[in-house]
Every structure is written in C-alpha cells, then in structure tokens.
DNA sequence: GAGACCCTAACGCCGCGTGAACGTCC
DNA sequence: CGGACGTTCACGCGGCGTTAGGGTCT
C-alpha cells in the first residue's frame, strides 16, 4: 500500500465514500480520461489512486455541480494542473484561462441576479 | 395582431430570433409547461406569446446557462412569478425560496473558488 | 402551384449515469 | 467458498435535433 512516505493512496472504495459517488462513476471518469489510477501490472487488479487524483475528482465534482459538461471540466482540470502542456503554447493556455475566467464571472453575475430576484419576490410575498 | 394596446405579442419566429433558440426548443418547453402560448381557437394554428412569456423564456435560458435542469427551472420560474400558488402554503414557498437562495449562494461561492484557482495557476504559469 | 412558413407526432442521438451478467482474485 | 472488485454490454433519462406528413398564406 505504501510506496512513498510522502503521498497518500486511496482505493476506489475510499474514493466512493469520500465523495459519495458510485464506483461505476469513478471508473467511467477514468474511462474518459478525467482521472487516472496508478498503473497496474496485471489486468483485473484493483485500482489505486494518488492524492492528486483525489483532488482531481474533487474538482470534477465541483465542476459538475456548477453545470459544466465533463468535456469542459476536463479542459479546466487539465489547465489547473497544467499537465501535458507543451512549452510553446503558453499563450494559448493563458488565453484559455482568461476566457474561462470571463465565463466564470458572467455566471457569478447571473447567479447574483437570480438570487436578488428570488429575494425580491420572497419579500414581496411577505408584504403580500 | 393587436388586441391590447398595452402589451406586446410575439410569434414563435420572433422568440427564436430574440434568444437564438430553435422552434423545437420553444415547443418543447411549452410541452413541459415551462412557457405557455396564447390559447388558439383551432388546432394547427400559429402560436402567439405574450411579453410575460418572453420574459419567462429569458429566465429559463438563464437557468440553463447556470446548469439547472428544466425541472428545477420550472420550480424557480413558478416561484418568481408566483402563479398558481395556493393561499395556505405560504410557508412552504418561503421555505423553498430560502432553500434556493442558499443553493445559489453556494454555487456563487464555488464559482468564486474556481475562478481564484484558475487565476492563481495562470499567475504561476506566467512566473514560470 | 411552388415556397416558406406553421403544426403535430414520432423517432433518433448525444451526454451522462446505471444495471445486469459474468469473470477474477484473495 | 463467498464477496469485493474487475470488465463488458446494454439500457434509461434529459434535452433536444430531425424527419415525416400535413396544413395555411402569398
């Protein structure tokens, strides 16, 4: 179980419990390349996840709650962890980040508006 | 075309153009009871929408952008317009509103966090 | 009467997740 | 052996797109 003293590892069961998702969902995300388990020597061997993958799953689930598609989420998570980003394409990555930040700000704005509307109607309802 | 001087009416085509959605989508939303067209004397007659329905559609589409399901959106829109809300169930409606407001605040919080994380990684990327 | 729109009704597809059936390892 | 985990396949649902078949208006 322990290879490196400095990092924690998790079974699929622990991941399930931690985030209250099914094992099927976790495998599905791995299938899509959203998360990765430690390489297994043999097939049919149990999955093990590093702590970085635990955090990744956390990000993914947050993204889902926020209404992003798994595809968008993959882009964002890859960005945040900036894995597998070539050297020359720095500008593209920055541009993508700026784009996403703009989108996030718009969403925040719209949520704020929605909240205020509901609040207003709630109030109007109380005053009747 | 004009029945009342004080209110505007819209064809399905105008609604499409206004919000850049398909006619299928509009009919689908009506099918689900999310919006309503003016009653038609004959079947197979063209749909007409009042201004209140135009605003309703606007709310619906905002809800979609924010990642709510059409079902959730229906609840929220009904709340905001507080149509068809019985007299006695006031508390339930207020409770629902409070609940939704809490959810919205959580979403805002999570979006904020996501934004900050992307910003941080963008910065780290620049400093390299 | 040919187009350009509308209508309804039905099927199909994609994204996402689940269930069932079955093998495998300890 | 049993039970937790693995895999593969196929279905189910939401949210439409699309097509078929038929109307009306110009």
């Amino acid at each position: 179980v322990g290879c490196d003293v400095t990092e924690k590892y998790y079974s699929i069961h622990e991941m399930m419990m931690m985030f209250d998702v099914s094992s099927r969902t976790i495998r599905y995300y791995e299938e899509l390349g959203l998360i990765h388990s430690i390489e297994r020597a043999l097939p049919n061997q149990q999955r093990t996840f590093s702590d970085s993958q635990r955090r990744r799953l956390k990000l993914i689930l947050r993204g889902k709650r926020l209404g992003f598609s798994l595809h968008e989420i993959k882009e964002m998570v890859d960005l945040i962890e900036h894995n597998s980003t070539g050297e020359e394409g720095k500008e593209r990555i920055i541009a993508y980040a700026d784009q996403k930040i703009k989108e996030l700000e718009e969403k925040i704005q719209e949520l704020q508006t929605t909240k205020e509307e509901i609040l207003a109607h709630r109030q109007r309802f109380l005053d009747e």
Side-chain angles (χ1 to χ4, degrees), chain A residues 9 13 21 25 53 57 79 89 95 108 113 116-117 128:
Chain A
Y9 291 90
H13 194 79
V21 295
T25 297
Q53 298 303 304
L57 181 54
L79 172 66
I108 291 172
T113 305
E116 277 156 23
E117 283 177 9
E128 195 194 17

Side-chain angles (χ1 to χ4, degrees), chain A residues 16-115:
Chain A
M16 285 171 58
M17 297 295 97
M18 232 177 277
F19 299 109
D20 193 35
V21 295
S22 70
S23 64
R24 182 65 184 89
T25 297
I26 293 178
R27 265 183 266 112
Y28 181 59
Y29 288 172
E30 184 174 359
E31 207 176 311
L32 297 187
L34 278 165
I35 55 177
H36 308 280
S37 54
I38 309 283
E39 267 201 71
R40 292 164 288 174
L42 307 166
N44 295 354
Q45 218 164 230
Q46 285 189 214
R47 270 164 247 264
T48 309
F49 297 94
S50 68
D51 198 59
S52 74
Q53 298 303 304
R54 181 192 58 75
R55 278 171 296 169
R56 232 179 127 98
L57 181 54
K58 190 172 168 188
L59 289 180
I60 292 166
L61 297 175
R62 188 174 68 198
K64 276 207 44 199
R65 283 195 300 278
L66 297 175
F68 293 100
S69 72
L70 293 184
H71 185 80
E72 286 176 299
I73 290 171
K74 184 165 163 50
E75 287 182 344
M76 296 178 62
V77 174
D78 282 345
L79 172 66
I80 283 182
E81 306 196 341
H82 75 308
N83 295 330
S84 71
T85 58
E87 266 303 340
E88 71 298 325
K90 271 178 80 162
E91 289 180 15
R92 270 194 54 252
I93 292 170
I94 297 292
Y96 180 81
D98 289 343
Q99 163 71 14
K100 272 301 165 191
I101 289 167
K102 228 185 87 194
E103 285 177 30
L104 289 168
E105 280 169 351
E106 283 172 15
K107 277 208 183 192
I108 291 172
Q109 205 40 59
E110 291 191 314
L111 280 170
Q112 209 82 43
T113 305
T114 305
K115 176 185 156 188

Side-chain angles (χ1 to χ4, degrees), chain A residues 114-127:
Chain A
T114 305
K115 176 185 156 188
E116 277 156 23
E117 283 177 9
I118 293 187
L119 265 174
H121 286 273
R122 189 200 119 108
Q123 196 50 45
R124 219 180 65 188
F125 209 70
L126 278 181
D127 304 345

